[in-house]
Each structure stands twice: as structure tokens, then as C-alpha cells.
Amino acid sequence: MQASGAREHPLVSDAPTAAVAPEPRFPTPFGIPRLSAPPAVDGDPSGWNGAEFPVQETPARQVSPSPASRLKVAYDANYLYVGLRVPLRPTDTLRRGNAWGVDDGAEVCVQSLAGKKPGPIYVVHGFLNGQFESVTDAGATAAQAQALAAGTRYAAVVGREQWSATWALPWSALGVKPVAGAKLAFNVGLRRSATNEWLQWAGSLAQTWVVSQAGTLELR
């Protein structure tokens, strides 16, 4: 026998709860300076004026025991400038090819937050041999990635105590008007083959290019 009211008021299971995305590692934007003259994009950012940050977190937001790398970021009317210095220990060996995930290198991930909705996420890999690639891993189209590659300048320098790299990423390809107050979702990732580590500026709890869980830069 059917219970009274069962037909009129059938049992309904609770709707599944949507997973909540993790909070950004750095929810407050970091200001980066506008340069009065373009810096040399020659692989060595040590003389640049720019906002400087450590790169020492695992994706899980733990501090790595490896020596902290140093990130510099600045901009002018034409480019977003990114520099990275990676200290080396005497026992470190380097892989100098251009196979991402195998050889030593770093990636810069950028997304414009200036419009009504976020722009595409651009990802550029840089290797110790001076080669770089703009990839579609985070959803940028092949045409967008190619346009960024065509305008990007990159260089790397390898020494006994560190390797370093510099990028100049054109605003015209990133789709950003470089005015004070413009914001970028941003992250930098580093591959250390000697210790089999992936390190990030902002531990994203995911791939480096999941910039919504990383940090934000604001043009000053």
C-alpha cells in the first residue's frame, strides 16, 4: 500500500553541491612599476627596476628546500617584462633541451582582467638554450598563441651559480591596454630537473596556468 501523500509529494534527493574553487594564493593585487626606458632583454634581469618576488612554492603551497629563485616584473607602453634568476648548487645538473616537463625551463602565464570578462590565458615556456614557445595549454587558440610568439622577445643565460631568463611579452598580443590600474591574473612556474621539482611563484594547487588560483598584478 502506498503511503498517504507519497504520490503528491515524492521524495527528492538533494542536488549535488558544486565544488568550490580554491581561493587565490595571493588575493590582494601586487603593484608593478612602469619603466621610463625599456630594459635589456638579454637573459639577465639583475639590473632591472621592477617588482621582485620569490619563486619557491610547490603547487601544493609548500616551501621547497631548494634555494629560492627571484622573479622581477615591470612594464612600459609596449611590453610586459618578466625576469627570473634561478640559483644553482654545485651538485645541480641541468638539462638544456627544449622538451617542456623534461628539460629545465620556466613558464609565464598571463590573463587580462581588464575587460568585462577575463581574456584568454597565455602560456609561454622558456628554455636554457634560448628557445621559447607559446602554447595553447590553457585555452588560448593557436592563432592567439602564434601572435604572442611572433612579438615575444626572450633570452637565457647559464652561469656557474645561476641561470636566468628574460621575457618581453607584447601588450598588443595579450590584448591589454597598459594603463595604471589594469589587472592581470599571473603566475610563473619553474622546472628543476636536478631535484625533479615543479615550483611556482603562487602555489596554485594545480597547473601553473590555473591563474585564478594564483595571484594578480596591477599596473602602477
Side-chain angles (χ1 to χ4, degrees):
M1 176 180 295
Q2 187 177 42
S4 176
R7 183 175 61 185
E8 292 81 1
H9 304 286
L11 296 175
V12 178
S13 299
D14 292 336
T17 302
V20 177
E23 290 294 317
R25 173 65 179 89
F26 300 121
T28 301
F30 290 93
I32 62 171
R34 182 170 184 137
L35 303 178
S36 57
V41 185
D42 58 3
D44 181 8
S46 58
W48 287 12
N49 292 319
E52 188 166 349
F53 311 101
V55 179
Q56 60 183 351
E57 293 190 351
T58 69
R61 301 180 175 174
Q62 303 298 313
V63 176
S64 167
S66 293
S69 300
R70 304 299 302 181
L71 168 68
K72 278 189 179 181
V73 191
Y75 79 103
D76 64 13
N78 299 307
Y79 294 99
L80 173 68
Y81 298 102
V82 180
L84 183 67
R85 290 176 290 151
V86 181
L88 300 175
R89 293 163 291 201
T91 56
D92 286 344
T93 57
L94 298 173
R95 296 180 61 98
R96 306 191 188 203
N98 60 337
W100 183 248
V102 176
D103 298 313
D104 287 87
E107 62 183 335
V108 179
C109 308
V110 184
Q111 181 185 36
S112 172
L113 301 178
K116 293 183 179 179
K117 63 178 183 178
I121 302 172
Y122 291 95
V123 180
V124 180
H125 299 154
F127 301 96
L128 277 61
N129 60 8
Q131 297 186 45
F132 76 93
E133 59 185 4
S134 176
V135 299
T136 59
D137 296 7
T141 67
Q144 289 168 334
Q146 290 167 6
L148 180 59
T152 292
R153 296 156 55 201
Y154 173 76
V157 176
V158 181
R160 295 179 59 184
E161 297 182 350
Q162 71 170 22
W163 72 265
S164 59
T166 52
W167 293 257
L169 305 175
W171 292 123
S172 57
L174 293 172
V176 176
K177 185 177 181 180
V179 296
K183 294 182 175 64
L184 310 168
F186 182 83
N187 206 0
V188 164
L190 170 65
R191 171 64 177 167
R192 276 188 177 270
S193 68
T195 52
N196 193 28
E197 286 182 294
W198 290 99
L199 301 175
Q200 297 174 343
W201 165 58
S204 67
L205 304 177
Q207 297 94 332
T208 307
W209 48 259
V210 183
V211 289
S212 62
Q213 297 172 195
T216 303
L217 304 181
E218 182 176 356
L219 307 190
R220 295 288 170 85

